[in-house]
Amino acid sequence: MGALLQIAGLTAGIDGREILTGIDLDVPAGEVHAVMGPNGSGKSTLSYVLAGREDYAVTGGSVRFGGADLLAMAPEERAAAGLFLAFQYPVELPGVGNANFLRTALNAIRRARGEPELDAVNFLKLARAETKRLSMPDDMLKRNVNVGFSGGEKKRNEVLQMALLRPRLAILDETDSGLDIDALKIVADGVNAQRGPEFAALVITHYQRLLDYIVPDRVHVLIGGRIVRSGGPELAHELEASGYAGLAEAA
Amino acid sequence: MRDENQLHAAVVELVAMDDATIKYSTVQNWYPGDAEGRGGIYNFVTKRGACRGARSKISWTQVETGSAITWKYPSCILQGEGSVGEFYSVAVTTNRQQADTGTKMIHIGANTRSTIVSKGISAGRSNNTYRGLVKILPKAAGARNHTQCDSLLIGDQCGAHTVPYIESRNATAKVEHEATTSKIAEDQLFYCRSRGLSQEDAVNMIVNGFCKEVLKELPMEFAVEAQKLLAVSLEGSVG
């Protein structure tokens, strides 16, 4: 069987403007890949297209996830199949309790996978263990989803969701943006704790900094809507030293 | 038969004497007519309460999901010194429904207080209006009112209207009115769906969150029913 995620010749855009101009990328199960690129290179578009945001139009190419046609699936089907997007800007849901949201999401996914649903008591046990691991205060479960959360708390809440939903592939869309170094370490620990043969991640970032803590197996450079170079973790350091300018010319 | 309209015209009167509290909760689900607005109940209801005694309190809570046309303004006449009036309302309209609902808080006695929380949800081609009166009479020294009206729009063919009437004849009274109008945002729906919730579950979750301040005022059994009713009423209104 091929890689867990197989992207071939993917082109996509928004409002008639093409942003992804031909992405080819494979992420095998158990591996962490980083996608780096300057602003406007298509990083967030790639994450939204993979998660199924409807305002982005796919104009060509294919994406297979665990052998299935990912692009034919609704966002909630992608989640049930094991895809998770950690949002760059997590959305606020006024009046919706975080614990209630998390339990509803977890049970929707468990139902879709044919697993029994968790009752409130067992869910809280699980959620409290995870919040503790992520150094989150217990009251984050009681508060409304992302309402009044600091930037760091929102990102930790994304990692909490990831830890509970146990995806096969997590896409982290600039999860490091707006984080101080302590929060960054907590988030990285949360991701590293998931690493194993059943977990893959696509870490999308502008900076090398996050990759000091989540060491990727492969690094891809995205410029002008396509991957212009791929390499090992050393490529990230090279970019940190020389910037994207040289690669942009090569593209 | 069902093409015709029926009238529901109830009258409820409450009187609270010294230190008494009355809480009156309604969940209304009359036939709203078909998708084109044929048939349905005209729900024209008189509800009024008198807080006659000192420190008495009347609290109205309503969840309105049914009827072709609703006109309903449960009121409180705050006569007793330090008496309290409350009005908590959720009104949902879909298809061609019209709801015009709100309250009247008439402050007569000194140090009387009132709270109004109204949540209107409009979908389809419906119209949802909050219409409310806050009246402070000359002897109502130290009277206070806080009003909050929030409207949630689903789709682009529905209407939300807020019509507050405020009359204050006492300079020591404090009257506050806050109103918001929002649309269920695509990014909220997408966020929920990317966590595995179906489109309908996502809408329910967002709507229930929007109404939470009112639903928590209902007795427990009612609150559960009301949540289910909201879900049924809004079925298929998005996408």
Side-chain angles (χ1 to χ4, degrees), chain B residues 103-168:
Chain B
T103 183
K104 286 187 242 179
M105 294 293 176
I106 299 163
H107 294 252
I108 299 173
N111 299 314
T112 46
R113 284 177 287 139
S114 62
T115 302
I116 300 170
V117 179
S118 166
K119 305 277 182 176
I121 300 149
S122 334
R125 304 169 75 171
S126 68
N127 273 298
N128 202 321
T129 303
Y130 168 81
R131 187 185 307 276
L133 170 70
V134 176
K135 187 169 185 169
I136 315 281
L137 291 169
K139 288 185 179 163
R144 291 179 60 184
N145 161 265
H146 182 82
T147 300
Q148 190 189 327
C149 293
D150 299 322
S151 304
L152 187 68
L153 299 167
I154 300 175
D156 55 8
Q157 290 186 295
C158 53
H161 316 274
T162 302
V163 190
Y165 299 82
I166 300 170
E167 293 173 32
S168 180

Side-chain angles (χ1 to χ4, degrees), chain B residues 27-216:
Chain B
V27 175
Q28 183 266 115
N29 184 30
W30 296 111
Y31 178 57
D34 67 12
E36 296 306 316
R38 283 184 298 256
I41 307 283
Y42 294 158
N43 188 39
F44 302 158
V45 175
T46 303
K47 285 189 169 172
R48 54 188 186 176
C51 285
R52 298 231 175 110
R55 299 166 304 277
S56 58
K57 177 177 172 181
I58 291 180
S59 180
W60 298 101
T61 305
Q62 62 174 30
V63 175
E64 305 287 324
T65 65
S67 301
I69 302 175
T70 295
W71 294 343
K72 183 178 172 189
Y73 316 92
S75 62
C76 296
I77 298 165
L78 302 169
Q79 199 173 359
E81 193 175 334
S83 59
V84 176
E86 292 176 343
F87 175 73
Y88 297 97
S89 172
V90 170
V92 182
T93 52
T94 62
N95 296 323
R96 301 279 188 141
Q97 276 178 288
Q98 301 171 38
D100 190 311
T101 185
T103 183
K104 286 187 242 179
M105 294 293 176
I106 299 163
H107 294 252
I108 299 173
N111 299 314
T112 46
R113 284 177 287 139
S114 62
T115 302
I116 300 170
V117 179
S118 166
K119 305 277 182 176
I121 300 149
S122 334
R125 304 169 75 171
S126 68
N127 273 298
N128 202 321
T129 303
Y130 168 81
R131 187 185 307 276
L133 170 70
V134 176
K135 187 169 185 169
I136 315 281
L137 291 169
K139 288 185 179 163
R144 291 179 60 184
N145 161 265
H146 182 82
T147 300
Q148 190 189 327
C149 293
D150 299 322
S151 304
L152 187 68
L153 299 167
I154 300 175
D156 55 8
Q157 290 186 295
C158 53
H161 316 274
T162 302
V163 190
Y165 299 82
I166 300 170
E167 293 173 32
S168 180
R169 290 203 262 153
N170 187 303
T172 64
K174 281 187 190 162
V175 179
E176 299 168 338
H177 181 93
E178 275 180 57
T180 65
T181 302
S182 53
K183 231 185 130 173
I184 286 198
E186 281 301 318
D187 58 352
Q188 287 178 323
L189 280 177
F190 176 64
Y191 189 68
C192 293
R193 293 179 73 192
S194 77
R195 297 299 179 252
L197 274 66
S198 68
Q199 173 110 322
E200 302 228 299
D201 287 349
V203 170
N204 288 339
M205 187 157 262
I206 293 166
V207 167
N208 273 300
F210 174 77
C211 300
K212 194 179 197 176
E213 278 170 278
V214 173
L215 298 180
K216 74 176 173 23

Side-chain angles (χ1 to χ4, degrees), chain A residues 13-17 48-49 52-58, chain B residues 186-187 190:
Chain A
I14 188 166
D15 300 332
R17 196 160 48 90
Y48 280 140
V49 166
R53 190 161 180 141
E54 277 157 5
D55 27 3
Y56 290 86
V58 174
Chain B
E186 281 301 318
D187 58 352
F190 176 64

Side-chain angles (χ1 to χ4, degrees), chain A residues 113-237:
Chain A
R113 291 177 186 163
E115 296 168 7
E117 294 186 28
L118 281 186
D119 63 25
V121 175
N122 282 315
F123 167 77
L124 273 181
K125 235 187 250 173
L126 185 68
R128 288 219 179 95
E130 291 295 344
T131 48
K132 206 171 163 192
R133 225 154 52 118
L134 291 165
S135 312
M136 294 164 71
D138 260 358
D139 79 332
M140 270 176 80
L141 288 169
K142 291 184 193 144
R143 286 154 67 184
N144 291 335
V145 179
N146 294 325
V147 177
F149 283 30
S150 70
E153 285 175 332
K154 284 183 181 174
K155 297 299 172 75
R156 270 186 273 178
N157 202 29
E158 295 292 288
V159 176
L160 171 66
Q161 293 177 31
M162 182 190 77
L164 288 170
L165 299 180
R166 305 202 145 275
R168 299 160 75 192
L169 175 73
I171 303 164
L172 307 173
D173 185 9
E174 307 218 16
T175 297
D176 49 335
S177 68
L179 288 188
D180 61 38
I181 199 76
D182 292 328
L184 190 72
K185 280 182 188 163
I186 291 167
V187 163
D189 286 347
V191 175
N192 287 329
Q194 301 290 312
R195 289 180 87 154
E198 298 300 319
F199 176 81
L202 201 56
V203 180
I204 293 174
T205 182
H206 189 111
Y207 301 105
Q208 148 69 23
R209 195 177 65 148
L210 179 65
L211 305 181
D212 287 338
Y213 300 99
I214 305 174
V215 179
D217 297 294
R218 299 280 294 165
V219 175
H220 309 277
V221 183
L222 182 67
I223 292 178
R226 59 192 191 86
I227 306 283
V228 297
R229 216 178 131 189
S230 298
E234 71 287 348
L235 178 55
H237 292 281

